[in-house]
Amino acid sequence: MQSRMGNPAVVIPEAMQALLAFGNIAQKCGLSPKLLELVNLRASQINGCGVCVDGHPRIARRLGETDERLFAVSAWRETPYFSPAERAALALTEAITRVSDRADPVPDEIWDEAARHYDAKSLAALVIAIANINVWNRLNVATRQIAGDWKP
């Protein structure tokens, strides 16, 4: 397996700087780093980004996340391991990641449930975090970046 090219954000350093700055917003706004890694993992699973599916659990483990919860992210609805706030964030992640899968990509019920658990600033940061991981997934998938090459 070989990548098509280097990651575009590595090829264009200004893009890397912008993406890293964009990615830091969510933590600066107070969202839990563990929550952000769950979001990153779930979006990456949906998008088929091997680089991120490989790398984000490594980060999450360093933050104290358990294998039990990491293994269950893809089936979060059917497991007892996630809080209502985490479930709301994962549902929002799925909706925003799958925008072309339905006429109303982010239904009010999903948005409203997230808004019950996150204030306006945290919800904005969550949406930015979801958009950010989707950008990384698309860069990696489009250029066929190799899982395991990125060791966070």
Side-chain angles (χ1 to χ4, degrees):
M1 184 172 243
Q2 183 175 331
S3 65
R4 291 180 166 149
M5 66 177 287
N7 186 295
V10 173
V11 173
I12 303 172
E14 295 86 358
M16 179 65 83
Q17 292 169 354
L19 288 170
L20 290 175
F22 190 58
N24 286 330
I25 290 170
Q27 281 190 31
K28 288 180 181 176
C29 289
L31 288 180
S32 157
K34 285 168 71 171
L35 172 67
L36 293 173
E37 292 308 322
L38 295 175
V39 164
N40 289 340
L41 178 56
R42 186 63 191 123
S44 300
Q45 290 169 335
I46 292 166
N47 289 324
C49 181
V51 170
C52 291
V53 168
D54 179 65
H56 286 287
R58 295 173 196 273
I59 297 169
R61 281 188 195 105
R62 281 198 307 266
L63 295 169
E65 192 54 83
T66 65
D67 283 343
E68 183 175 60
R69 284 170 38 100
L70 290 172
F71 297 152
V73 166
S74 64
W76 61 268
R77 286 178 181 85
E78 289 79 29
T79 63
Y81 308 129
F82 303 98
S83 72
E86 290 168 332
R87 291 175 181 284
L90 291 167
L92 187 62
T93 299
E94 290 183 358
I96 292 172
T97 300
R98 293 181 161 141
V99 293
S100 67
D101 286 359
R102 56 181 136 190
D104 183 7
V106 183
D108 287 341
E109 74 179 41
I110 290 174
W111 183 266
D112 293 346
E113 182 63 14
R116 273 184 358 95
H117 297 281
Y118 301 96
D119 64 22
K121 186 175 180 180
S122 295
L123 187 54
L126 183 57
V127 170
I128 287 170
I130 296 165
N132 183 63
I133 191 58
N134 274 276
V135 169
W136 282 109
N137 292 164
R138 281 152 175 76
L139 293 173
N140 290 332
V141 169
T143 58
R144 292 187 180 152
Q145 298 302 299
I146 308 301
D149 284 355
W150 175 52
K151 299 283 190 202

